[in-house]
Amino acid sequence: VEWNGINLNSPMLGQMDLSQVPVAQFDGLEILYGAAGISRTSGAFGGVIDLVTMPDWNNRFNIFATQNASSFGTWITNLSLAAGGRSFQSHTRLNYHTAKNDFPYTNDAGEVVRQYNASFLQTGLSQELYWKLKDRHLLSGRIWYSQDDRNLPPTTQTVDSSKTETLKDNALRAVLDYKYVASGWNLLVRSALNDQYMKYDNSTLDLHSVHKVFSWINRVRGSYSAVKNLNIKAGADYTYDWVDSDEYEGIRTRSTVSLSAEATYEWLAGLSTTMVLREDIINGDFKPFIPALGFDYQPFRKINLAVSFNLARNFRNPTLNELYWENAGNPELLPEKNYTAEGGCVYNLGSEE
């Protein structure tokens, strides 16, 4: 899962909880299915979801507000303020979401009781700034702070309401982009920070643990399309992960360099081939080479039908939890390898304008 091209997956767990991302926090989704995700990163066997925010250069001033209320103490508030002109845009977003979740249910003893310790409070604030110079230079800065306080509900076998389990999760994400667009080629330079603080408390186990995660993410992308029917992309990424967890023996770090190249060639009208090559270097060690080959074919000019087929090799490096979690991690774990062959067919009913 990405936000404007930066990885949101925790280096500890290797996942992102999408329930922590309000729908009003982004403008659209970019989805790369299966092997297509190799063009962005390694290890995403199922693909990549990118949560995208973008400016509306025709906007002058716009306020958008919603208020929702529903059962079990659920309240959702979203506020958005956008202002600017054709060369500058500012977009501020605020979200608030809370619920008691005290619904009735039948426990394992056959008693109808109300759910307890299931409430949550989620708040978020983001600011986006965009500058455009002479339609060739685009500079943007985005920052997003989120806070999520959750009570984790017990199982249906638990009847002691004095036992509680909570998780507090605060995250600050910031990204700077520079994009240059020229005739036949473009360049993107991106640098981002992802700072996360998590605190877990379990009264039943008398367990209290704190996890601090910091990631510095850098990305350079270039694209060249001056040759007829050919588009070439190349990129280099550098990511530094730093984790201080009560469940690790000391601070753990990881440095990842990723090099990629992608070429798409249109052989005939409606028939194109894409090849992607990627190599990751983690803490100085070269990881398995990742190739991918894809074919797209649109057999009819007036019928919106497309057929695709992809072949790929991929790998997933162990997460820091899998390597270093006390009494459970194994520092000797090797990467998972994956081989994929997939095909698909898309038909859109309606005329193209």
Side-chain angles (χ1 to χ4, degrees), residues 13 36 94 114 117 132 202 217 271:
L13 190 59
L94 174 67
R114 281 195 172 272
N117 199 61
K132 183 170 63 173
N202 188 320
I217 305 163
L271 176 62

Side-chain angles (χ1 to χ4, degrees), residues 106-125:
T106 302
N107 63 17
D108 287 358
E111 303 169 331
V112 177
V113 297
R114 281 195 172 272
Q115 178 69 283
Y116 66 92
N117 199 61
S119 63
F120 68 87
L121 172 62
Q122 183 183 86
T123 58
L125 175 65

Side-chain angles (χ1 to χ4, degrees), residues 192-264:
L193 299 176
N194 190 352
D195 191 9
Q196 189 173 17
Y197 172 88
M198 292 175 287
K199 186 175 187 297
Y200 174 76
D201 294 290
N202 188 320
S203 64
T204 303
L205 303 177
D206 193 25
L207 176 62
H208 311 278
S209 58
V210 173
H211 315 283
K212 301 174 185 178
V213 181
F214 174 82
S215 296
W216 181 35
I217 305 163
N218 300 274
R219 177 172 291 181
V220 178
R221 290 288 188 273
S223 176
Y224 179 77
S225 58
V227 178
K228 184 179 179 180
N229 298 334
L230 178 65
N231 184 275
I232 299 174
K233 299 178 182 179
D237 300 348
Y238 173 74
T239 301
Y240 175 78
D241 296 315
W242 178 96
V243 176
D244 183 6
S245 171
D246 288 345
E247 304 299 330
Y248 294 176
E249 294 182 356
I251 294 174
R252 299 296 180 175
T253 63
R254 180 166 62 191
S255 296
T256 304
V257 175
S258 184
L259 306 175
S260 64
E262 178 180 350
T264 301

Side-chain angles (χ1 to χ4, degrees), residues 244-303:
D244 183 6
S245 171
D246 288 345
E247 304 299 330
Y248 294 176
E249 294 182 356
I251 294 174
R252 299 296 180 175
T253 63
R254 180 166 62 191
S255 296
T256 304
V257 175
S258 184
L259 306 175
S260 64
E262 178 180 350
T264 301
Y265 186 76
E266 186 175 2
W267 300 92
L268 302 169
L271 176 62
S272 63
T273 302
T274 300
M275 174 173 283
V276 181
L277 305 175
R278 176 174 292 275
E279 177 64 49
D280 285 359
I281 308 166
I282 301 178
N283 290 337
D285 295 330
F286 283 79
K287 297 303 177 179
F289 180 66
I290 302 176
L293 181 64
F295 300 88
D296 291 284
Y297 181 49
Q298 189 168 349
F300 309 107
R301 298 186 61 182
K302 296 184 178 181
I303 300 177

Side-chain angles (χ1 to χ4, degrees), residues 105-149:
Y105 72 98
T106 302
N107 63 17
D108 287 358
E111 303 169 331
V112 177
V113 297
R114 281 195 172 272
Q115 178 69 283
Y116 66 92
N117 199 61
S119 63
F120 68 87
L121 172 62
Q122 183 183 86
T123 58
L125 175 65
S126 68
Q127 177 65 54
E128 306 158 25
L129 299 173
Y130 305 89
W131 295 268
K132 183 170 63 173
L133 304 174
K134 298 181 180 180
D135 294 329
R136 289 188 177 272
H137 305 271
L138 176 61
L139 181 65
S140 65
R142 305 176 181 94
I143 188 167
W144 173 23
Y145 175 76
S146 63
Q147 180 174 314
D148 192 10
D149 295 338

